[in-house]
Amino acid sequence: MTQKYVYFFGNGQAEGRAEMKNLLGGKGANLAEMTSIGLPVPPGFTITTEVCTEFYKNNQTYPESLTSAVAENLKMVEALMDRRFGDPRNPLLVSVRSGARASMPGMMDTILNLGLNDTTVQGIIAQSGDERFAFDAYRRFVQMYSDVVMGMEKDILEHLLEQKKEQRGVHLDTDLTAADWKELVGSFKLKIKEELGKDFPEDPHEQLWGAIGAVFGSWMNQRAITYRKLNNIPADWGTAVNVQSMVFGNMGDDCATGVAFTRDPSTGENYFFGEFLVNAQGEDVVAGIRTPQPINRVKDKDGKLPSMEEVLPECYRQLVDIRGILEKHYKDMQDIEFTIEKGKLFMLQTRNGKRTAPAAIKIAVDMEKEGLIDEKEAVLRVQPSQLDQLLHPSLDPAAEKQVIAKGLPASPGAVSGQVVFSADEAEAEAKLGKKVILVRIETSPEDIHGMHASQGILTARGGMTSHAAVVARGMGKCCVAGCGDIKVSYAGESFVARNGVVVKKGDTITLDGSCGEVMLGAVPTVAPVLTGDFAQLMSWVDTYRKLKVRANADTPHDSRVARQFGAEGIGLCRTEHMFFEAERISAVREMILSEELEGREKALAKILPMQKGDFIGIFREMKGLPVTIRLLDPPLHEFLPQEEKDLEELSKTMKVPVGTLKHKVESLHEFNPMLGHRGCRLGITYPEIYDMQVRAIMEAACELVKNEGFSIVPEIMIPLIATARELQVLKQNAVAICNEVIARYDVRLEYLIGTMIELPRAALTADEIAVEAEFFSFGTNDLTQTTFGLSRDDAGKFLPFYVDNGILAEDPFVSLDQNGVGQLVKMAAERGRATRRDIKLGICGEHGGDPSSVIFCHKIGLDYVSCSPFRVPIARLAAAHAALS
Ligand code: ADP
Ligand code: MG
Ligand code: MG
């Protein structure tokens, strides 16, 4: 049997169906579907995507049987339309439209009115009795065809048209007469010949095959290739070609063309939303040449332009019926294109409409209530990544804004505040109740307190995984990073933006972390709404998901936010963030810089009550939900002063000469701190540090149990374990302290001691480590660094290039590398469970909030994921998607 390359649709019958998108493209499949459910669709046929694939496989030649298949289908269209292609008296005109599986703006523009030439135009005149219409259609065809198929510069013909209007002393295309258009067709053709050295094709069949070839050719044009790359569309999908008989929206005042959505795509409200133009063709509505009119008055109560409901009431009623039929049939909001020819309505396209995040939620919840879809389907209708938009305040869409620079959208949200240029200043100003925006060339761990105190962060350098970006996302703070448009001068306490706009300390700016824009002044924002439809959807989400979702939170405030977003515990509480706070950092430094155990213990004794206070605050907020606390992890030099004046101050408190301190700071320098003296290696060499932390955790828990009747099971987590022996030693120390504290308080308290799996050796020996560990938390940030052997802080130089050039499909710090790092996680989970059947397994780190990584965690059977508080709803939804699909 020969392969079928062409699918017919017309007169209630279609060879294709909506499910055949892969073969017929989205447009072709839905034209077929609309035809077979009885909607008025001009007849035509679809050349399959397979032809496109074969075309490129076989050196840009068509399959043999294609010519005859096209000819046969064209005959069927002629029969239905009672017209013939190329017939001088009764010509059939067609449109040639591209259409891939996914809608692709990079593809070829549609060609309308194909089949016109100097002879057939006479037939159109004779039949329509409208010479102006006929020549207008003809000149449009010559313009589109010469541009799209022949590669003629658009502007050249557009310029001739402008000249004509000038010469005739008119402003609008609609003021030109039949004779004008006729003349223009002639001069267009001459110009084409002059520019390209070839004639405009007169033969309709040559025109048709030229257009088909242009559609397939456009699959490999630069625009399309770029679009596919950005949207992960494989090149071998190919595009289909739709050839369809023309209907005309431009034959007079009983004609029109329009586009509509079956519900409002920006709010999701259930009313018919759309625009149309009387006496217009094709893309006139979206081209902005004339102001389109609303299809009804639902929203635009006292608008001046007449609505379709008013001027074409019969067609409007019919369109409303079709709206209902389409929604019942597709069970989703549709985006439609239609044309009215002499009072008769035709459907030219339908597809599931794109929508904003709030609209996606409203439509899903409404459609469940209306009985169109069930709860599970409603959950699947909202994409986890869409929620990001929703969980932060956003700019008021109605507000005016003056954009002065654009950087990377590193962490979403919209905030305004006064500009400051240092972390200390940020903190000081914030204490005075001011809202500030921290502007830095780059940030470093020393700036954390300032980042905390600011509304948002703007950096001139660094990528999506720079320190500023990662920390800001973790805090749920708005951040625009790598903003090359600004030049920061710390000395001048100012930065220069586009067009030389100078912003000084104290000036107000607004950041939009969702699109990377920086604006002058305070642009009003609107708060996220987490009640109503959102809450309804999330309650369904929680019924269907299996994976638990915790949050990474280091403070009582973040813990509260996490719970509001539905976190079921804390998966990672980093104790070092607490060390950076103003009064504490000097005690921490004192501890690090003491030569003797005695000095360290003295400093630790100052820190203990502060840490204990933090833990009490966090346990209280979490109301008995599990909390995993990680003992000190980063290399000590991160806490050390860099500035002379800090060293001097410290030398006074410690009563040690500045020179000695400087020497000590230098001695702590490491060539590769990421792989240096950090994590459990600190706990092994300075046991007193971990002892203090364990004591703080246990005393906090015991006090709450004793005084407030809390039930808590603290989870103590030891980072960067490489060998079982390390954990054995540290667990022994910790257990001793735990037992001592519990005995002292005389309470009943269970606790767990576990570890992070973040080094390949730990994953490989997970069976041995699980002998000691009561839980594993996969630290996938470090595990990615150590598995790839790349440092995140240095990856900015090559990782973006890798991703742009397809050497890596995705940034492995954003989305878990399932084939590499993921295999270590999976193996360690299995080995851990083999040793200890009830071992608790989870992941923390950026990946816990990445939808595809969450789905992976579900598949390999982890118990929970943990992510930053603002990503908790995203992870919950992703977990539900994983369970439902
Ligand atoms: P896109 O993929 O860019 O939406 P389409 O193939 O849908 O391009 O064509 C754009 C517009 O051209 C349609 O919305 C419709 O107004 C017009 N059009 C396409 N085919 C026909 C036709 N057979 N008759 C009348 N108008 C058509
Ligand atoms: Mg379209
Ligand atoms: Mg780590």
Side-chain angles (χ1 to χ4, degrees):
M1 210 190 90
T2 52
Q3 190 143 0
K4 186 166 173 60
Y5 288 120
V6 181
Y7 285 70
F8 184 78
F9 56 87
N11 196 27
Q13 309 280 321
E15 293 176 316
R17 276 178 289 110
E19 295 73 47
M20 291 163 72
K21 287 200 178 65
N22 294 356
L23 187 64
L24 303 179
K27 202 180 285 167
N30 284 329
L31 285 170
E33 187 81 4
M34 283 198 293
T35 303
S36 45
I37 62 174
L39 299 185
V41 176
F45 54 89
T46 304
I47 304 173
T48 66
T49 56
E50 275 171 11
V51 174
C52 185
T53 317
E54 304 235 331
F55 180 74
Y56 283 105
K57 232 193 271 163
N58 302 320
N59 239 330
Q60 312 212 0
T61 54
Y62 297 120
E64 227 182 73
S65 62
L66 184 67
T67 324
S68 58
V70 167
E72 268 168 42
N73 277 271
L74 195 57
K75 271 213 187 77
M76 289 164 30
V77 177
E78 290 174 332
L80 276 182
M81 294 298 288
D82 197 20
R83 291 166 176 269
R84 284 194 26 240
F85 197 53
D87 187 308
R89 260 184 306 263
N90 186 24
L92 171 73
L93 302 186
V94 296
S95 64
V96 176
R97 321 170 64 187
S98 63
R101 274 191 218 186
S103 104
M104 266 182 59
M107 292 298 298
M108 189 199 84
D109 292 328
T110 294
I111 298 173
L112 303 178
N113 311 332
L114 188 140
L116 275 171
N117 58 28
D118 291 340
T119 326
T120 52
V121 75
Q122 296 304 330
I124 298 289
I125 294 170
Q127 284 192 330
S128 65
D130 187 343
E131 195 180 357
R132 187 185 181 283
F133 155 74
F135 277 106
D136 181 24
Y138 193 6
R139 67 89 193 176
R140 285 176 191 253
F141 168 57
V142 174
Q143 279 182 292
M144 285 186 257
Y145 190 93
S146 64
D147 164 32
V148 172
V149 183
M150 303 176 78
M152 178 81 182
E153 190 90 49
K154 250 193 201 159
D155 296 347
I156 300 177
L157 301 189
E158 206 49 62
H159 182 67
L160 289 181
L161 175 55
E162 286 310 312
Q163 271 183 335
K164 184 91 209 164
K165 283 197 275 189
E166 233 166 79
Q167 176 203 333
R168 307 277 290 111
V170 299
H171 289 295
L172 297 175
D173 287 8
T174 40
D175 293 332
L176 291 176
T177 63
D180 294 331
W181 289 130
K182 185 175 174 181
E183 244 181 76
L184 271 173
V185 169
S187 43
F188 280 176
K189 286 185 170 178
L190 279 176
K191 197 74 183 171
I192 290 166
K193 173 88 193 218
E194 189 186 311
E195 289 285 322
L196 305 177
K198 51 186 172 191
D199 287 310
F200 188 86
E202 281 285 306
D203 175 10
H205 289 279
E206 189 187 336
Q207 294 173 356
L208 179 61
W209 283 98
I212 293 171
V215 175
F216 288 137
S218 72
W219 182 251
M220 285 297 172
N221 74 23
Q222 203 49 50
R223 254 196 322 168
I225 291 172
T226 310
Y227 184 83
R228 281 201 292 276
K229 210 164 76 183
L230 290 175
N231 293 279
N232 286 320
I233 297 176
D236 62 7
W237 278 9
T239 180
V241 183
N242 301 289
V243 177
Q244 189 177 24
S245 47
M246 282 301 300
V247 287
F248 298 101
N250 53 338
M251 287 176 85
D253 287 345
D254 50 355
C255 301
T257 181
V259 296
F261 290 83
T262 56
R263 302 185 186 214
D264 188 326
S266 52
T267 64
E269 279 171 279
N270 188 1
Y271 73 94
F272 202 13
F273 170 94
E275 294 181 325
F276 83 115
L277 274 176
V278 172
N279 200 6
Q281 185 172 46
E283 307 275 66
D284 290 358
V285 178
V286 285
I289 308 169
R290 283 157 59 193
T291 312
Q293 304 160 226
I295 57 169
N296 56 38
R297 284 259 166 267
V298 177
K299 283 285 136 143
D300 168 53
K301 292 261 182 321
D302 31 43
K304 294 201 173 52
L305 296 168
S307 70
M308 179 171 164
E309 188 172 10
E310 287 156 322
V311 294
L312 293 162
E314 200 38 60
C315 291
Y316 180 74
R317 260 190 294 283
Q318 204 185 338
L319 197 61
V320 169
D321 286 346
I322 289 175
R323 170 192 185 231
I325 294 170
L326 284 173
E327 279 212 344
K328 270 218 183 64
H329 189 76
Y330 285 97
K331 303 186 190 315
D332 201 354
M333 186 261 272
Q334 297 295 294
D335 166 359
I336 62 178
E337 297 172 7
F338 62 90
T339 284
I340 295 162
E341 176 178 318
K342 301 226 166 271
K344 193 164 162 16
L345 176 69
F346 293 94
M347 296 302 296
L348 292 172
Q349 192 169 335
T350 191
R351 63 184 158 198
N352 293 340
K354 294 226 158 56
R355 62 206 78 179
T356 62
I361 291 174
K362 175 150 180 59
I363 291 171
V365 171
D366 282 354
M367 286 194 164
E368 193 276 342
K369 282 186 212 146
E370 293 160 27
L372 279 175
I373 57 177
D374 61 14
E375 289 173 11
K376 293 181 188 172
E377 184 57 34
V379 167
L380 291 170
R381 282 289 167 83
V382 181
Q383 290 315 305
S385 56
Q386 273 186 312
L387 292 186
D388 207 13
Q389 241 188 64
L390 216 76
L391 301 172
H392 299 267
S394 51
L395 289 184
D396 182 345
E400 270 186 44
K401 51 181 193 179
Q402 183 192 349
V403 177
I404 54 166
K406 190 154 189 228
L408 299 170
S411 181
V415 293
S416 14
Q418 297 182 354
V419 169
V420 294
F421 292 95
S422 80
D424 289 341
E425 231 165 6
E427 201 176 50
E429 295 289 309
K431 279 219 176 96
L432 299 175
K434 293 208 181 125
K435 290 190 182 319
V436 298
I437 297 212
L438 178 61
V439 181
R440 300 286 296 167
I441 296 173
E442 276 174 300
T443 62
S444 69
E446 270 190 280
D447 296 323
I448 302 247
H449 63 291
M451 297 172 77
H452 242 301
S454 343
Q455 304 299 307
I457 299 114
L458 169 62
T459 65
R461 272 197 236 133
M464 292 292 281
T465 57
S466 63
H467 178 267
V470 172
V471 173
R473 280 200 292 274
M475 293 178 178
K477 281 232 154 117
C478 169
C479 175
V480 174
C483 183
D485 284 352
I486 65 166
K487 283 216 168 48
V488 178
S489 157
Y490 290 142
E493 299 200 303
S494 64
F495 70 81
V496 184
R498 278 186 201 165
N499 306 328
V501 175
V502 177
V503 176
K504 295 208 195 65
K505 185 175 127 183
D507 290 352
T508 298
I509 60 170
T510 300
L511 303 180
D512 186 342
S514 313
C515 71
E517 284 177 351
V518 182
M519 287 141 282
L520 207 56
V523 182
T525 57
V526 288
V529 179
L530 302 180
T531 50
D533 292 330
F534 178 82
Q536 173 65 79
L537 185 85
M538 293 312 287
S539 84
W540 293 334
V541 161
D542 291 340
T543 9
Y544 294 108
R545 75 187 156 92
K546 305 257 173 357
L547 203 58
K548 294 222 179 271
V549 177
R550 298 193 191 181
N552 300 346
D554 311 334
T555 63
H557 172 265
D558 289 356
S559 307
R560 182 173 337 132
V561 174
R563 251 187 345 102
Q564 283 162 357
F565 282 117
E568 296 162 293
I570 290 177
L572 175 62
C573 172
R574 304 177 186 86
T575 46
E576 62 269 17
H577 282 183
M578 307 169 177
F579 282 14
F580 277 103
E581 294 202 352
E583 326 88 70
R584 308 178 183 193
I585 188 73
S586 56
V588 172
R589 287 171 175 168
E590 199 181 318
M591 182 263 297
I592 295 169
L593 294 173
S594 300
E595 292 292 346
E596 304 298 328
L597 174 65
E598 203 193 320
R600 284 198 295 274
E601 285 184 331
K602 209 175 101 205
L604 286 166
K606 293 187 200 165
I607 303 170
L608 175 79
M610 306 189 229
Q611 285 243 291
K612 186 169 139 187
D614 291 328
F615 295 137
I616 288 180
I618 290 171
F619 287 144
R620 270 213 190 102
E621 285 297 344
M622 295 312 290
K623 302 196 186 338
L625 292 171
V627 176
T628 305
I629 297 165
R630 179 178 73 183
L631 303 184
L632 191 66
D633 183 44
L636 296 180
H637 78 93
E638 281 192 12
F639 302 101
L640 292 181
Q642 310 293 334
E643 316 243 335
E644 194 73 29
K645 74 173 201 314
D646 291 337
L647 267 175
E648 278 164 17
E649 220 170 87
L650 200 61
S651 105
K652 275 183 215 134
T653 14
M654 288 180 70
K655 302 188 181 72
V656 175
V658 177
T660 318
L661 285 186
K662 262 195 192 155
H663 186 73
K664 180 82 188 178
V665 168
E666 276 157 28
S667 77
L668 281 167
H669 169 80
E670 289 179 304
F671 288 102
N672 194 341
M674 184 192 77
L675 301 177
H677 195 179
R678 56 170 285 214
C680 68
R681 298 162 194 174
L682 292 170
I684 297 271
T685 49
Y686 301 115
E688 59 278 7
I689 302 179
Y690 278 13
D691 286 355
M692 178 278 290
Q693 294 196 296
V694 172
R695 185 163 285 126
I697 296 167
M698 295 307 284
E699 287 186 2
C702 287
E703 273 180 27
L704 287 173
V705 171
K706 193 166 183 116
N707 304 336
E708 300 178 28
F710 261 64
S711 70
I712 312 173
V713 182
E715 301 177 355
I716 297 170
M717 179 156 78
I718 295 168
L720 213 74
I721 288 287
T723 73
R725 180 69 184 144
E726 287 169 319
L727 184 59
Q728 197 185 26
V729 170
L730 292 170
K731 185 177 173 185
Q732 220 168 37
N733 292 350
V735 167
I737 306 258
C738 290
N739 291 344
E740 176 223 300
V741 175
I742 292 171
R744 184 148 47 84
Y745 279 87
D746 190 23
V747 293
R748 279 184 58 93
L749 178 69
E750 280 178 53
Y751 61 91
L752 298 178
I753 294 182
T755 183
M756 292 187 79
I757 302 288
E758 51 188 336
L759 293 176
R761 194 183 189 287
L764 292 164
T765 58
D767 48 348
E768 294 169 15
I769 292 175
V771 173
E772 300 294 339
E774 292 163 302
F775 63 85
F776 286 168
S777 174
F778 292 95
T780 48
N781 291 352
D782 270 316
L783 192 58
T784 300
Q785 297 202 79
T786 51
T787 302
F788 272 89
L790 64 81
S791 134
R792 181 159 70 178
D793 302 319
D794 299 316
K797 296 196 180 102
F798 56 91
L799 205 52
F801 184 91
Y802 267 48
V803 175
D804 288 347
N805 290 279
I807 294 171
L808 280 175
E810 264 172 306
D811 182 338
F813 293 109
V814 174
S815 197
L816 187 71
D817 161 45
Q818 299 182 8
N819 291 334
V821 181
Q823 293 313 301
L824 279 176
V825 174
K826 181 166 179 266
M827 185 191 70
E830 284 160 6
R831 293 190 179 177
R833 277 208 172 109
T835 301
R836 187 187 288 267
R837 218 161 43 92
D838 62 347
I839 191 167
K840 251 199 215 182
L841 301 172
I843 80 161
C844 56
E846 294 271 297
H847 301 107
D850 168 64
S852 69
S853 310
V854 172
I855 291 171
F856 177 78
C857 293
H858 169 92
K859 278 196 202 135
I860 64 167
L862 299 193
D863 298 304
Y864 70 87
V865 296
S866 187
C867 56
S868 66
F870 284 87
R871 298 195 73 84
V872 165
I874 299 173
R876 285 158 71 199
L877 180 53
H881 277 217
L884 289 173
S885 50

